[in-house]
């Protein structure tokens, strides 16, 4: 599909939308229904709404409906207010953009209008530093050659200025003519591809006689870019409003479900089923008691004949009574603390990059705990592990090596002498370095020459050439000027054969204005240049050796080629190139086919080697994270040998004899199958050995594998801790992430460039580095950091703390709700199984929303170990990776604790007040007081560290309970009149509280003391060492591997990457066996929603993960 845009013609402007931008989700009229629909799309909210509606039936509700409606309305109000505030801010941002004043041409005159009134076909006039209000096709600039500079940082994050040029059809038109220009632009329907605009333009006479002029992305100014270093520019609006490329790119990313959230959903389902069982059993028992005993009691006053729904009354009453089993406040509590986790990341001064003044940023506030459960890190190489700051180091020209002795070709006397003597091959080599690129030379105010480049490779080459006296002076239209040792040389650029990830090379066709010769200059990867060299008699072996030698040094290599063209050959080819460049469908493919017809019989001039230094701290970061049990995969577009050398230098892999590399290569299905089979067999045989084994695969073999042998490769992936994937495309990176996710591994992808975006978005956690390639990766990621080394702190400190805190908060939320529910059930057994409530509505509401929620929310400050200890002992991350703190067994512990505490509170209270003539409200307040006392002690006991804020929250909330209820006791009509004052005067009340604490917490304290003293885990040992003031690593705990190895021989092979086909036994309550893992699929009461994709069998063990580190 395509659209026709008629230039400067108002009669067609209503065919397309105006330029009004709208990013709002709601309007005033649809906010309430739409927001409520979104909120009630969640099962938990639907459940609470059902409960609240049932409580409106007076016959069945045991408490005042306000006990559920109050918290429900409060929670929904908080969520709705946040949505409304966010949407209001989006409205203000849209309003500011829509009402911005812009200049347009109307009837040959420039007028100022609001940006929202721009229509397709209008001519928009921009001045320097103006923001582009919509997508424009550039038709004129203040530069005589039709060039302008734009800053695209808001679009793609790239800070370097880019050059945009007017179409050839508009060259030479004066500004007065631009006011009256007429024509049509044939372009595709709106899309979000900011790197492609395959269109055509035809200007109507008298401007041009209907000749078709091809348009590319270089002829456009896209919305949100800024005009720089250009006095003015004008363009035709082709896409407006939400149909611009930026507008089409906007969208709401799919929410990511963390492992903790998935486990909470399973536990909620388990509790719901348990609740149904309780309701059915107690409802059945209640109906039996009613028919056998209740009618005999005169005070009950049951009618002889009840309505048809009488049998449902008691079960529904118990349903309402037990509804608090699922805590209504858990979602709001988790959302709140997760937001605080994200702020901690952004406030972390140790993750602030001083070089670029870039702080860490958390774009996704909902997945911080997943950072503590990462098992695979898939990383890009260039700009992620390296600085992406390229420096020209060595070269090989006509078989002669330069720079090998001192490591710097710029200081090589032999090369400098060759330049002084005008050696032809050396001069041609420098010419390709200088001309074959997209670099823009700019003179600074002081007169110094500066270069603006889209690629760090190109910048390094042009800058090196200038130091070797071949200086790029200017680019003006299709002409460029080079100064070589004081002599001005001029070249005309006839055509540019642009670089693509498929071609892996770039070429330019130029005319040497000195000799009138037409020359093809090419540069690219060795596999993209050397196969096209077929000049008679030329030996390629020196160049192949140079590529291999430089790759072994970890240097990036580019091959340079040169070919003189016959004028007739060029004219014929130029016709085909122009035809391919004018097509609207498959333009890129057709251009590549035409380029292939010219890029042959190339004379190889030489090989350039560029150094890309490792970032500071990369080896230490990788080594530390590998010790924590995290597996690493490197996904790079570089050649195999270069990637291997970088991997060795950054501790990604180990050299022989400690490490071993297995190569997975091949060009046909049979070759790849045999190679894969051999690598897989070797991996299985050596899996029990202490040697570190990694496999290396290239892009060609990987493409065949992902299509034909995906199952076998998946098995290989589960066996290997390390992989190096070379020459991979962006889509292959995303496919590899998806493959590991299909095995139920938690994946983290990290990169810095636009080619990493798909991988980052596909992973469970995406991390972008704010690098020299722009901010595309950082903007698409869940987290952005300035340097790779910050990843260590992001995972070990923030990820681990977030997981521990979230696990405690979620389980405690269930515990406090179950505690009160079990007391209600026990009371029903003593009240004729009637479903009556022991507690009044106000107490129930206050208990859930205030008395027990505020203290636990301070868990976001809790630290079981100091940051220093965590960083020095990365192995302890294994406890988080295995899901040991939140799993069905740990939840069973909290479930049992709530049942035991409920039994203690109820029996002690009833026994203490059984012989006294007490009101039900008085007994209720005693039981509620016992719960509050237990809650305060439980939170205190489970916290590992304390700040003044935590003390205020816990003990201030404890005192607030008594203050609030004392005030309520002074109000006669509330039903609690004088109750608290009577209880204060009773010694039995205080004795009851002490007994509840002693009986309830005594066994818990005893078990914890026994475990901490006689069966401590690694965490307990480190905590003891911290408190004793001694060293907190290495000494006292011995080898971590031996500490983690269970005493029983049958539990000797814990694996973070454990096979799902095994039956894993979850750790018992208050036990610290590291065999607990969240991947258990064995029979379990709580595994109601097992993953649809079971893990392939894996033989790697946790013990192996810690060897040789």
């Amino acid at each position: 599909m395509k659209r026709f845009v008629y230039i400067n013609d108002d009669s067609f402007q209503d065919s397309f939308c105006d330029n009004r931008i709208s990013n709002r989700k709601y309007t005033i009229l649809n906010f309430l229904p739409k927001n409520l629909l979104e909120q009630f799309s969640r099962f938990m909210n639907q459940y609470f709404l059902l409960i609240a509606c049932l409580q409106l039936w007076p016959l069945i509700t045991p408490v005042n409906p306000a006990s559920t409606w109050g918290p429900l309305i409060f929670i929904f109000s908080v969520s709705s207010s946040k949505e409304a505030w966010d949407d209001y801010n989006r409205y203000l941002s849209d309003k500011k953009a829509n009402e911005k004043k812009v200049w347009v041409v109307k009837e040959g005159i420039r007028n100022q209008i609001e940006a929202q009134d721009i229509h397709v076909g209008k001519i928009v006039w921009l001045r320097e530093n103006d923001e582009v209000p919509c997508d424009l096709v550039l038709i004129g600039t203040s530069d005589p050659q039709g060039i302008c500079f734009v800053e695209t940082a808001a679009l793609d994050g790239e800070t370097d200025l880019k050059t945009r040029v007017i179409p050839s059809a508009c060259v030479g038109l004066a500004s007065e003519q631009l006011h009256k220009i007429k024509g049509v632009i044939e372009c595709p329907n709106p899309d979000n591809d900011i790197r492609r605009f395959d269109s055509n333009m035809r200007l109507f006479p008298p401007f041009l006689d209907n000749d078709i002029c091809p348009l590319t992305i270089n002829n456009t100014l896209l919305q949100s870019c800024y005009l720089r270093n250009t006095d003015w520019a004008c363009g035709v609006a082709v896409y407006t409003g939400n149909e611009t490329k930026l507008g089409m790119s906007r969208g709401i990313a799919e929410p990511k479900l963390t492992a903790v959230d998935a486990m909470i959903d399973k536990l909620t389902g388990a509790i719901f089923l348990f609740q149904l069982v309780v309701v059915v059993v107690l409802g059945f028992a209640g109906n039996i008691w009613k028919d056998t005993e209740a009618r005999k009691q005169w005070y009950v006053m049951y009618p002889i004949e009840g309505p048809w729904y009488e049998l449902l009354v008691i079960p529904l009453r118990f349903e309402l009574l037990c509804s608090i089993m699922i805590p209504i406040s858990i979602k709001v509590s988790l959302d709140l603390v997760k937001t605080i986790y994200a702020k901690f990341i952004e406030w972390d001064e140790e993750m602030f990059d001083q070089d670029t003044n870039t702080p860490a940023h958390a774009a996704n506030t909902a997945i911080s705990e997943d950072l503590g459960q990462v098992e695979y890190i898939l990383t890009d190489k260039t700009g992620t592990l390296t600085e992406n700051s390229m420096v020209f180091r060595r070269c090989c020209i006509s078989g002669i090596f330069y720079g090998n002795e001192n490591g710097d070709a710029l200081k090589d006397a032999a090369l400098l002498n060759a330049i002084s003597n005008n050696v032809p091959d050396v001069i041609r080599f420098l010419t390709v370095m200088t001309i074959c690129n997209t670099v823009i030379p700019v003179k600074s105010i002081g007169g110094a020459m500066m270069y603006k480049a889209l690629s760090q490779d190109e910048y390094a080459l042009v800058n090196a050439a200038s130091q070797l006296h071949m200086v790029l002076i200017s680019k003006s239209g299709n002409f460029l000027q080079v100064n070589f040792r004081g002599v001005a040389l001029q070249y005309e650029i006839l055509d540019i054969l642009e670089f693509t990830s498929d071609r892996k090379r770039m070429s330019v066709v130029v005319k040497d204005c000195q000799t009138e010769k037409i020359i093809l200059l090419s540069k690219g990867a060795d596999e993209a240049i050397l196969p096209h060299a077929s000049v008679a008699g030329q030996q390629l072996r020196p160049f192949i050796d140079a590529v291999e030698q430089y790759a072994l040094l970890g240097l990036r290599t580019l091959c340079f080629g040169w070919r003189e063209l016959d004028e007739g050959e060029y004219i014929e080819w130029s016709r085909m190139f122009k035809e391919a460049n004018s097509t609207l469908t498959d333009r890129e493919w057709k251009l590549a086919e035409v380029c292939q017809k010219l890029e042959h019989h190339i004379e190889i001039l030489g090989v350039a080697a560029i150094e890309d230094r490792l970032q500071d701290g990369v080896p230490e970061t990788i080594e530390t994270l590998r010790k924590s049990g995290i597996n690493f995969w490197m996904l790079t577009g570089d050649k195999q040998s270069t990637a291997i050398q970088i991997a060795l230098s950054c501790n990604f892999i180990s050299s022989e004899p400690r490490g071993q590399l297995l190569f997975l290569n091949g060009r046909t299905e049979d070759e790849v199958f045999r190679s894969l089979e051999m690598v897989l067999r070797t991996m299985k045989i050596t899996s029990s050995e202490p040697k570190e084994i990694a496999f290396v695969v290239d892009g060609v073999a990987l493409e065949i594998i992902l299509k034909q042998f995906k199952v076998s490769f998946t098995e290989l992936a589960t066996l290997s801790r390390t992989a190096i994937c070379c020459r991979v495309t962006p889509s292959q990176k995303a496919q590899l992430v998806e493959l590991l996710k299909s095995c139920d591994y938690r994946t983290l992808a990290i990169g810095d460039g636009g080619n990493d975006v798909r991988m980052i978005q596909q992973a469970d956690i995406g991390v972008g580095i704010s690098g020299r390639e722009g901010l595309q990766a950082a903007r698409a990621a869940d987290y952005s950091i300035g340097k790779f080394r910050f990843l260590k702190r992001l995972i070990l400190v923030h990820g681990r703390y977030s997981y521990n805190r979230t696990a405690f908060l979620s389980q405690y939320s269930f515990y406090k709700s179950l505690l009160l529910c079990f007391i209600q059930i026990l009371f029903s057994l003593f009240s004729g199984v009637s479903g009556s409530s022991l507690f009044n509505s106000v107490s129930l509401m206050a208990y859930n929303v205030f008395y027990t929620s505020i203290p636990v929310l301070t868990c976001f400050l809790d630290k079981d170990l100091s940051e220093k200890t965590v960083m020095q002992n990365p192995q302890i991350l294994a406890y988080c990776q295995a899901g040991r703190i939140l799993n069905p067994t740990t939840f069973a512990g909290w479930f049992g604790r709530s049942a035991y505490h409920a039994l203690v509170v109820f029996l002690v209270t009833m026994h203490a007040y059984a012989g006294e003539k007490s009101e039900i409200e008085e007994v209720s307040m005693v039981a509620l007081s016992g719960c509050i006392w237990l809650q305060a002690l439980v939170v205190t006991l489970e916290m590992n560290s304390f700040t003044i804020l935590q003390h205020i929250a816990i003990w201030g909330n404890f005192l607030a309970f008594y203050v609030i209820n004392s005030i309520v006791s002074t109000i006669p009509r509330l039903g609690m009149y004088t109750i608290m004052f009577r209880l204060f005067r009773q010694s039995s009340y205080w004795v009851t509280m002490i007994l509840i604490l002693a009986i309830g917490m005594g066994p818990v304290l005893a078990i914890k003391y026994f475990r901490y003293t006689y069966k401590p885990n690694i965490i307990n040992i480190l905590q003891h060492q911290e408190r004793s003031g001694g060293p907190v690593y290495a000494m006292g705990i011995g080898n971590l591997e031996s500490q983690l190895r269970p005493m029983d021989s049958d539990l000797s092979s814990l694996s973070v990457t454990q096979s799902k086909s095994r039956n894993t036994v979850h750790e018992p309550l208050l036990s610290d066996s590291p065999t607990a893992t969240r991947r258990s699929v064995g029979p379990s009461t709580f595994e109601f929603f097992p993953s649809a994709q079971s893990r392939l069998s894996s033989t790697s063990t946790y013990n192996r993960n810690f060897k040789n580190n």
Side-chain angles (χ1 to χ4, degrees), residues 677-879:
E677 193 176 42
M678 182 183 67
V679 169
L680 190 56
R681 188 185 306 115
T682 305
M683 189 71 73
K684 290 180 178 178
I685 294 173
T686 58
S687 61
S688 59
E689 298 180 4
K691 180 177 289 189
E692 293 181 4
I693 303 175
F695 71 86
V696 183
V697 60
D698 66 8
V700 176
L702 185 62
E703 184 176 2
I704 296 173
I705 288 170
L706 293 175
K707 289 180 179 178
Q708 305 294 333
F709 312 113
K710 193 171 184 178
V711 174
S712 297
F713 185 73
T714 303
E715 184 178 3
L716 175 63
T718 62
L719 292 173
S720 177
R721 291 198 63 205
T722 308
I724 301 173
C725 304
C726 311
R727 299 295 194 192
V728 292
T729 63
S731 61
Q732 287 176 331
K733 291 182 178 183
Q735 285 178 284
L736 289 172
V737 173
E738 179 59 32
L739 183 142
L740 290 172
K741 285 177 65 179
S742 69
C743 300
D744 198 30
Y745 290 117
R746 284 285 143 182
T747 58
L748 182 150
I750 180 170
D752 74 314
N755 61 335
D756 301 316
V757 168
R758 292 183 62 181
M759 170 181 74
I760 286 171
Q761 292 177 330
Q762 185 67 49
D764 293 303
I765 304 167
V767 179
I769 291 182
S770 305
R772 297 176 185 270
E773 291 190 23
L775 300 176
Q776 281 180 283
R779 287 179 173 174
D782 302 302
Y783 301 93
S784 63
I785 54 179
K787 293 288 189 294
F788 183 85
R789 67 177 184 270
F790 299 143
L791 188 63
K792 176 171 62 175
R793 184 171 177 83
L794 184 67
I795 292 175
L796 296 182
V797 175
H798 294 286
R800 183 177 175 277
Y801 283 159
S802 297
Y803 172 77
N804 289 350
R805 294 160 177 168
T806 303
F808 167 65
L809 174 60
S810 56
Q811 293 178 113
Y812 174 85
S813 297
F814 280 104
Y815 158 77
K816 68 183 180 65
S817 296
L818 287 168
L819 171 61
L820 212 63
C821 187
F822 284 143
I823 294 176
Q824 297 275 57
I825 292 172
L826 291 171
F827 177 72
S828 291
L829 299 179
F830 283 78
S831 58
V833 201
S834 60
S836 300
S837 175
L838 174 62
F839 304 103
N840 62 54
S841 303
V842 176
S843 296
L844 284 174
M845 184 168 57
Y847 176 86
N848 274 316
V849 177
F850 301 109
Y851 297 151
T852 57
S853 294
I854 294 177
V856 74
L857 286 178
T858 58
C859 72
F860 65 82
L861 296 172
D862 187 43
K863 296 180 180 180
D864 59 339
L865 294 167
S866 68
E867 296 177 4
K868 180 180 179 182
T869 301
V870 170
M871 297 287 277
Q872 291 173 338
N873 297 273
Q875 299 92 331
I876 60 177
L877 187 69
Y879 290 87

Side-chain angles (χ1 to χ4, degrees), residues 271-281 319:
I271 291 296
F272 180 68
L273 293 181
F274 172 74
Q275 177 186 326
L276 292 180
V277 172
V278 170
V279 168
V280 171
V281 171
E319 173 62 33

Side-chain angles (χ1 to χ4, degrees), residues 69-84:
W69 280 102
L72 189 66
I73 292 173
F74 174 76
I75 290 170
F76 282 0
S77 298
V78 171
S79 299
S80 299
S81 299
K82 181 179 181 299
E83 285 287 329

Side-chain angles (χ1 to χ4, degrees), residues 441-713:
V442 178
K443 276 193 176 182
S444 65
I445 298 177
M449 187 61 63
M450 300 172 59
Y451 297 110
K452 297 289 184 180
L454 300 181
S455 162
Q456 292 296 316
D457 287 340
E458 291 186 342
Y459 176 81
L461 292 174
V462 174
N463 190 55
S466 68
Q467 295 183 55
L468 295 173
H469 310 295
M470 183 76 73
V471 184
L472 178 61
I473 297 297
S474 65
K475 279 187 177 181
S476 180
N478 293 332
F479 292 88
L480 60 85
Q481 190 173 9
V482 175
N483 186 301
F484 178 61
R485 300 178 64 194
V487 178
L489 305 175
Q490 192 172 38
Y491 297 88
E492 181 184 0
I493 300 176
L494 302 178
D495 291 293
I496 298 177
L497 289 62
E498 296 182 351
F499 173 89
T500 67
S501 57
D502 293 327
R503 285 169 23 84
K504 297 181 180 179
R505 63 181 177 271
M506 173 193 178
S507 300
V508 295
V509 180
V510 300
K511 177 185 282 188
D512 187 338
C513 296
Q514 288 67 234
T515 63
E516 297 297 319
K517 291 182 179 180
I518 299 176
I519 309 166
L520 173 72
L521 310 179
S522 298
K523 71 170 182 183
D526 55 291
E527 74 270 21
I529 296 293
L530 296 182
H532 299 281
S534 56
V535 176
Q538 184 174 21
Q539 296 295 322
L540 297 181
R541 174 48 55 184
F543 304 112
I544 297 174
D545 291 343
V547 169
E548 293 177 353
Q549 182 184 128
Y550 294 148
L552 289 175
L553 296 173
L555 302 176
R556 295 165 60 91
T557 57
L558 286 171
C559 294
F560 293 166
W562 173 294
R563 178 181 169 223
E564 291 188 11
L565 304 177
D566 294 332
E567 185 173 354
E569 177 190 7
Y570 169 71
I571 292 174
E572 175 63 21
W573 177 87
S574 179
R575 182 189 60 78
M576 292 187 294
F577 184 73
K578 184 176 181 181
E579 182 179 334
N581 210 17
S582 302
T583 58
L584 295 184
T585 57
D586 299 325
R587 178 182 290 187
E588 186 175 339
W589 180 82
K590 292 177 181 178
L591 282 173
E593 188 177 27
V594 172
C595 292
Q596 188 79 16
K597 295 180 179 180
L598 192 68
E599 295 171 322
H600 58 83
H601 292 84
I602 297 174
E603 179 184 356
I604 306 301
L605 299 176
V607 180
I610 301 171
E611 180 186 29
D612 187 8
R613 300 186 186 92
L614 281 180
Q615 292 183 21
D616 293 338
V618 167
E620 295 80 6
T621 299
I622 292 178
E623 182 179 8
T624 300
L625 292 178
R626 283 173 62 85
K627 286 180 179 179
S628 70
I630 295 176
N631 306 320
F632 273 87
W633 283 31
M634 179 192 291
L635 313 181
T636 178
D638 268 349
K639 61 179 67 65
Q640 198 173 90
S641 49
T642 302
I644 291 173
Q645 292 305 313
I646 294 295
L648 285 169
S649 63
C650 66
N651 291 335
F652 204 87
I653 56 176
S654 300
S655 56
E656 292 283 359
R658 183 180 172 186
Q660 180 181 353
L661 287 180
L662 303 176
F663 292 87
L664 210 171
N665 294 320
R667 291 294 180 270
T668 65
E669 288 189 15
D670 289 339
E671 291 177 357
V672 171
F673 175 74
R674 287 194 297 269
S675 179
L676 178 60
E677 193 176 42
M678 182 183 67
V679 169
L680 190 56
R681 188 185 306 115
T682 305
M683 189 71 73
K684 290 180 178 178
I685 294 173
T686 58
S687 61
S688 59
E689 298 180 4
K691 180 177 289 189
E692 293 181 4
I693 303 175
F695 71 86
V696 183
V697 60
D698 66 8
V700 176
L702 185 62
E703 184 176 2
I704 296 173
I705 288 170
L706 293 175
K707 289 180 179 178
Q708 305 294 333
F709 312 113
K710 193 171 184 178
V711 174
S712 297
F713 185 73

Side-chain angles (χ1 to χ4, degrees), residues 897-922:
R897 184 188 293 191
S898 65
Y900 171 68
H901 282 171
L903 195 63
V904 169
V905 171
F906 183 78
L907 293 181
V908 171
T909 300
M910 288 302 175
H911 180 76
Y913 285 82
E916 299 186 16
K917 296 179 181 179
S918 304
E919 300 177 16
I920 186 65
E921 290 288 352
E922 191 172 342

